[in-house]
Amino acid sequence: MAAESAGHAGHADGPDAVRLALLTSADEDMTGIDALTLAVQQATAALGGLGGVAHRRDPGTGLLRLVAVCGLTSKTAEPWVTVRDENAGPARAVREAAYVWQPEGGTGTGAAGTASVPLTGPDGPVGALSVLTVGPGEPDRGRQAFLHSVAAWAAHRLATLSEPVTGPPPPGILLDMGDGFLAVDEDWRITVANREAERLLGVDHLPGRVLWGLPASRTGGLEGHCRRAVAEGTAIDHDLRWPTDQRLYRVRLAPVKGSGMAISFADVTDRRLASAGNTAEERRSVERTARMGELTVALAEAVTSRDVVRAVARHVLPPFGADGLVVEALDGGRVRVVDSVGYSEEFLRRLDGIPLDANAAVADVLGTRTPKFVESPGEFVRLYPDQRSLAVTSAKGAWAFLPLVASGRATGCCVVTFARPRSFSAEDRTLLTALSGLVAQALERARLYDAESARARGLQRGLLPRELPSLAGVSAAARYLPAGRGDEVGGDWYDVIPLSADRVALVIGDVMGHGITEAATMGRLRTAVRTLADLELDPDELLTHLNELVGELGHDYYATCLYAVFDPVTRSCSFALAGHPPPLVVHPDGTVHTPDLPVNPPLGAAEPPFDVLELTLPEECLLVLCTDGLVESPTRDIDRGLTLLRQTVASAVAGAPYFSADGAERLDELCDVVVSTLIPDREQTTDDAALLVARTRCTPPQDIASCSLPEDPRAAGQAREYVRRQLAVWGLDDLVMTTELLVSELVGNVVRHAKGPIRLRLMRSRSLICEVYDGSLTTPRIRRAGHTDEGGRGLHLVAAVSDRWGTRFLGDGKCIWAEQDIPVADGPRPESARTP
């Protein structure tokens, strides 16, 4: 080897000779990885290449594994981590033990080609050194000779080193390797690990942990093999079936002189399957065993009963050649279908809910707790003649009835069916019997989850509005979508709350976390919001009270919330946000924009006061409010989600008349479009989501009338006169008498107990609204008047005459308001007073 190195060096001159001299003078204590890295660097520089790589041949798998790299980014080097293509340059160089030129086309890097030479050991090539060139063509003979010289030096150095050629891959590549890799120091403390190693060992962050402190590390004698490799100072390869996924791994344990050990895990399951046995039956047997191992993992991860059935169908039916599956549960003496594969709805309806004693096959299996294997329709009819029609309808040729027994009691039956008659070997029966035990335990756990989840979601649905009100100023539609998968329900909610003077409060929120506790907390917050909204509080004041409520629940309770109040008279909308996604405002021309709203921290973490922004909306618009579960997912951040929401809404509004006369009826369609676009696969979602779309309308000016009144006893008379004139204009003569009484009492109270300025405002909407404004913050209240008292009965009269009344406090005074329902007269109502 040394002679070969010297021979090639003799052809080098100029810079190449200097590079070879640098290699020759390298420190004798240099590790194998450092030697390879230095060789790759010099070869890349000499050929003016884009970058270079060095691979070692894995004795166990025969694959080339990347051990050194130069000049390539992590993404560019990723295709070179493991060379699986037998026609790739490095693979050919090892196989042919010769220089190989691979023209551009296979690297995906934009290089002109790849020049590869073998790293030749005493018994033949042990790896390859490659340079990704950027020149116009193949390197000339001089460059090829230099590449051979560098490879010969590297191979000679590797042959004289006592430690194996193993070490951590270059930074950046390590995380994306398909094989598991970790390095430990001399105290068995993990120093480096990639994502695959973390998956195998079941820990998200491995560096710093002691290897033997992890339960998974005690698998299959791994510790003993590791200590043996250290004691002998040599690399050890052995096969290990991993218990969590039942896959077969080739484990390489390579001590690194003075620094610990490198451990790699290569999945060789498919390779072993391809070479297992010479007969098809042997291969099927190995495949079935592997499938059962995979099934164990899938059942452990299954959450719902449906997940359990789908896992069995995916991992059991193919290797056994089955085409049908029915999982049935015993419920109050009847057999209920949990889920199925390969059967028609009509057949399942016949089967579902029949008494156990009418289903002889299932009753037989559950009574004896022993599997029953029926190999033909004729045998089925002989065993269970009363179920002949059921066997014919199923159109199956063979059946495996497997009892499901959990916690010592029979809970149901798993039926695996086949299209044609068949026999069941001893191995078939053993595997299917083992299957029944796995399914029984998984199904029992899943049914408990289903029941708990159903209760939680029932609670959540009961706490959300059954239907949203259609108001004079706002029509709305909403959607709530529970998570498709995950452990428990969430705490998203929404509401539309009517306020005085046709104003409307819109609220949407999200209690952080999942579970019944969070759903109950959501209900408490929704009730609190409705109570506080009835007090006519401003958005910032309402969120302040809500923040105190969340803080009292505990330090680990948080919630986001958006609260808005829309006034159809002034077209103003006041927004306050606590850690919540902003709303969208959609104009009639289709323009969609996101207001630049100040966002305060979530409730429970915020420090009042809360910021409020007041916007003037167009005469009609759409407000789109949502929780983060709609726009954010594991594969999409919230900013991308909000952008997609804007684009979806803009496209939908451009294609449908949401601002037409019947536009309010189309809001449900818009909700469906948004949900189907942003959450196309609900089964894969891990968070619940809420969407609220509101169409706002302003109050026509002709339906509003107001006047100022003097601060003396004449005010009541002037108010009555104003009422008579205005109600005559509106055609509401039937309400003149009661309205005169209302304004007389309200204005009289201001004159006697408050201060001016005094103003009267009348609004014609779905009801007649009378409002009296004054400059006092004194709260009016109904008091009990004695028989001889001359006053104190005014508000009693207001309450008796009106349908609703209350007080709204303003910055410089208050407003006392009263509403009367407008009688529905024969013939059409005035256009502005109709229900939209």
Side-chain angles (χ1 to χ4, degrees), residues 299 302-313 439 442-443 445-446:
L299 290 179
V303 176
T304 67
S305 299
R306 181 183 177 86
D307 293 341
V308 171
V309 177
R310 290 296 179 263
V312 175
V439 175
L443 188 63
R445 184 183 66 250

Side-chain angles (χ1 to χ4, degrees), residues 54-67:
H55 291 87
R56 181 186 68 83
R57 184 179 180 275
D58 188 326
T61 64
L63 298 176
L64 294 180
R65 310 287 187 184
L66 182 66
V67 290

